[in-house]
Amino acid sequence: MTLDFRYKLTARNDLLSDGGRRPRFFIRTYGCQMNERDSEKMAGLLVQMGFVAAQSQDIADVVLYNTCCVRESAEDKVLGHLSVLRRQKTERQFVLAVGGCMPQQKNMEQLLWDKHKYVDLIFGTGNRHRLPEFLWRVIEGGERVCDISEGDELPEIGDIDVASREYAFKAGVNIMYGCDNFCSYCIVPHVRGRERSRSVKDILEEIRVLANDGVKEIMLLGQNVNSYAGEVNFSELLKLVHDVEGIKRIRFMTSHPKDFSDELIAAMRDLPKVCKSVHLPLQAGSTRVLADMNRMYTKDEYIALVMRLKEAVPNVAISTDIIVAYPGETDDDFEDTLDVVRRVRFSGAFTFIYSKRSGTPAAERTDLVSRKVANERFDRLTAELYPIMTEINEAKIGKVFDVMVEENGRGRMDDHTLVHFIATQSMTAGEIIPVRIDEAKTFYVTGVSV
Ligand code: 5AD
Ligand code: SF4
């Protein structure tokens, strides 16, 4: 299917661009690592079709927005940018496509179709592999296309154009899609569908292909990677990935605390390639709020899990997601969040103010926290988090760490700490080098390669 469209489109470049130059595409990605990986795959399809990547959307023949809807602010950003593109469309011809999570919501699909008529193509997350066909219908057939199909099985092996990866030395690999947890505030299960795990064979084949192509670091991706339920469980999958030659570091995200088993802790302890960092969303510290959120763990259970992890894996870095001002959150509830922050000592955190998502149970709540209190709590939370993060980094001063080079003078430690370093010799991305740390900031450290 893809090949057909490649040949047809290449032969009809004139449809899109003048002077026989190859048509250009530009993808803007919003949201999580899953979306980033989806964009790489769609870029791969476009390259197969004969497109080349454009440096800016202003000169692209196809502009594709891969969207996120997890918070209202993410949607507002997209809608803001779309209005800019609408104006551009009066000045020059290009195809505008909106894909990803936003159109997966029924009301948004309708809104885009009815109110944003300058958008030529609207599609979802489950059918992104049909992008060539959709584009063909828009370009060749002059159609305006809207197709949000549910439950499509995404073909993963075979549609990946390795050349479309953003980094040469590291890559994300989806191990599962969707989410079954239905946290009360979250739109993801409604747009990404039920949990589906990929087969071990497909995952390992993809990783071997990547390793052969020079990839050194793999990030196993999924909404809840540790609920992976293929032929083996997640801990066993880690062992199999560990055996792939050429891979030096293995990361994974996101983990759900309820599924973080002792077996997984042991696997992290025993497998040297598995990085000593865990992204473990807390969301809230109060057991009452956690129950309201349907998170399926208590404050004490979360803390106990972190303590088990820290004991088994010394110096493990724990990062997190925290939501403030969930409906009904009291001052005491919020104090519980701060208490967990102090006791766990997170090395990084994404912090959010609760955002109402229609279609979720929490959207029905009327006991909303005021904007003012929400902002105050948000500021108090970061004021608690940041000094701890700085202290964690300060403890690294004077010591030498292995750093995987990402670009000249920049790399990451095993625990994901960002390092800016002075290089004593030239080095290539993906190489692991020793760096002595001499200065610590909140979000990074600096050092000299030794
Ligand atoms: N409001 C605020 N934050 C949210 N998240 C998910 N849904 C919402 C919402 N409605 C946050 C959670 C999740 C992260 C990806 O986004 O913290 O872990
Ligand atoms: Fe959303 Fe909860 Fe699923 Fe994460 S686990 S994607 S927060 S429903």
Side-chain angles (χ1 to χ4, degrees):
M1 177 187 81
T2 21
L3 281 186
D4 280 357
F5 285 107
R6 174 175 59 173
Y7 290 129
K8 281 184 194 162
L9 259 190
T10 317
R12 296 292 307 276
N13 275 350
D14 54 303
L15 278 172
L16 285 165
S17 54
D18 43 65
R21 73 169 166 78
R22 294 174 88 190
R24 293 183 280 221
F25 71 93
F26 182 85
I27 304 181
R28 191 186 287 273
T29 310
Y30 297 84
C32 63
Q33 260 110 350
M34 306 277 271
N35 261 15
E36 278 168 25
R37 184 69 180 141
D38 286 353
S39 289
E40 288 184 346
K41 289 180 180 171
M42 291 192 284
L45 290 174
L46 289 163
V47 169
Q48 276 189 342
M49 289 173 79
F51 281 82
V52 289
Q55 291 308 311
S56 133
Q57 67 179 23
D58 301 342
I59 54 162
D61 303 291
V62 169
V63 175
L64 196 168
Y65 276 26
N66 188 11
T67 61
C68 168
C69 61
V70 78
R71 282 169 296 278
E72 198 181 353
S73 53
E75 286 189 340
D76 287 348
K77 259 188 236 161
V78 171
L79 295 172
H81 276 107
L82 283 183
S83 67
V84 174
L85 286 161
R86 167 189 229 153
R87 250 172 286 137
Q88 275 195 15
K89 270 209 138 189
T90 61
E91 290 151 20
R92 67 181 195 90
Q93 228 194 326
F94 60 95
V95 173
L96 178 53
V98 177
C101 291
M102 243 169 101
Q104 288 283 146
Q105 309 163 94
K106 277 271 163 295
N107 56 344
M108 191 50 83
E109 177 192 352
Q110 206 60 45
L111 180 96
L112 287 167
W113 182 255
D114 292 341
K115 299 259 160 30
H116 297 263
K117 293 217 157 43
Y118 55 95
V119 177
D120 305 290
L121 165 59
I122 301 161
F123 65 110
T125 53
N127 58 4
R128 57 167 159 69
H129 59 293
R130 287 172 59 201
L131 179 63
E133 171 203 331
F134 296 150
L135 275 180
W136 183 244
R137 278 161 55 191
V138 171
I139 296 163
E140 186 72 339
E143 268 183 78
R144 194 174 168 231
V145 176
C146 180
D147 194 320
I148 314 290
S149 34
E150 276 167 46
D152 271 6
E153 274 309 310
L154 295 168
E156 292 305 330
I157 298 287
D159 74 338
I160 302 158
D161 183 336
V162 278
S164 65
R165 275 186 290 111
E166 195 171 338
Y167 302 95
F169 70 98
K170 65 173 178 179
V173 173
N174 294 103
I175 63 165
M176 49 109 64
Y177 298 98
C179 177
D180 286 351
N181 290 325
F182 288 95
C183 299
S184 63
Y185 50 82
C186 185
I187 195 76
V188 170
H190 306 268
V191 296
R192 287 265 177 180
R194 296 293 63 72
E195 282 178 10
R196 288 145 285 151
S197 294
R198 286 179 71 199
S199 76
V200 170
K201 183 175 149 284
D202 283 0
I203 293 168
L204 292 179
E205 199 172 314
E206 182 171 338
I207 295 174
R208 282 193 204 105
V209 169
L210 291 166
N212 277 337
D213 199 43
V215 167
K216 307 284 180 231
E217 180 178 304
I218 291 291
M219 169 81 90
L220 302 174
L221 293 174
Q223 233 54 257
N224 296 289
V225 280
N226 51 343
S227 329
Y228 175 78
E231 300 88 325
V232 300
N233 68 21
F234 182 62
S235 315
E236 287 156 351
L237 181 68
L238 274 183
K239 289 183 197 131
L240 296 171
V241 175
H242 199 267
D243 288 341
V244 178
E245 225 171 287
I247 299 300
K248 291 187 190 164
R249 282 183 173 179
I250 304 164
R251 300 186 186 279
F252 53 89
M253 87 182 291
T254 295
S255 301
H256 196 299
K258 80 172 165 63
D259 292 321
F260 214 100
S261 63
D262 287 341
E263 189 189 350
L264 177 52
I265 294 177
M268 288 195 69
R269 180 196 59 205
D270 297 340
L271 300 171
K273 293 180 186 175
V274 175
C275 291
K276 308 305 172 229
S277 76
V278 180
H279 189 67
L280 199 63
L282 167 68
Q283 311 301 6
S286 147
T287 293
R288 195 190 62 76
V289 173
L290 287 168
D292 269 9
M293 288 177 160
N294 192 30
R295 288 291 292 172
M296 292 174 272
Y297 52 85
T298 63
K299 173 186 178 185
D300 288 345
E301 283 166 351
Y302 185 94
I303 292 171
L305 167 61
V306 170
M307 295 311 153
R308 284 201 301 281
L309 242 170
K310 287 194 178 192
E311 196 175 319
V313 187
N315 296 321
V316 63
I318 316 270
S319 58
T320 200
D321 293 346
I322 298 174
I323 299 173
V324 299
Y326 180 79
E329 185 188 70
T330 63
D331 282 341
D332 280 351
D333 290 324
F334 178 62
E335 287 302 326
D336 274 329
T337 300
L338 296 181
D339 187 44
V340 179
V341 166
R342 286 183 209 114
R343 287 162 69 175
V344 169
R345 299 179 62 78
F346 294 108
S347 62
F350 295 107
T351 50
F352 311 107
I353 291 177
Y354 167 75
S355 165
K356 177 178 160 180
R357 304 284 62 210
S358 53
T360 63
E364 308 299 319
R365 302 270 303 242
T366 50
D367 48 349
L368 300 183
V369 175
S370 73
R371 256 284 131 184
K372 181 167 166 284
V373 170
N375 286 332
E376 278 166 14
R377 287 186 188 158
F378 186 88
D379 291 346
R380 279 185 65 200
L381 176 62
T382 50
E384 202 72 52
L385 282 162
Y386 291 169
I388 296 172
M389 286 157 56
T390 314
E391 278 169 32
I392 291 174
N393 281 342
E394 278 166 356
K396 297 173 180 127
I397 292 175
K399 297 184 186 140
V400 175
F401 292 88
D402 280 345
V403 171
M404 184 179 279
V405 179
E406 300 206 331
E407 60 186 66
N408 247 344
R410 187 192 135 110
R412 295 221 182 236
M413 292 182 191
D414 180 295
D415 73 0
H416 210 240
T417 306
L418 176 63
V419 186
H420 291 286
F421 58 89
I422 297 165
T424 43
Q425 71 221 43
S426 75
M427 38 199 70
T428 48
E431 204 181 326
I432 294 181
I433 56 154
V435 173
R436 174 169 289 113
I437 304 308
D438 53 26
E439 211 186 329
K441 305 276 185 204
T442 308
F443 297 103
Y444 65 94
V445 296
T446 60
V448 182
S449 79
V450 290

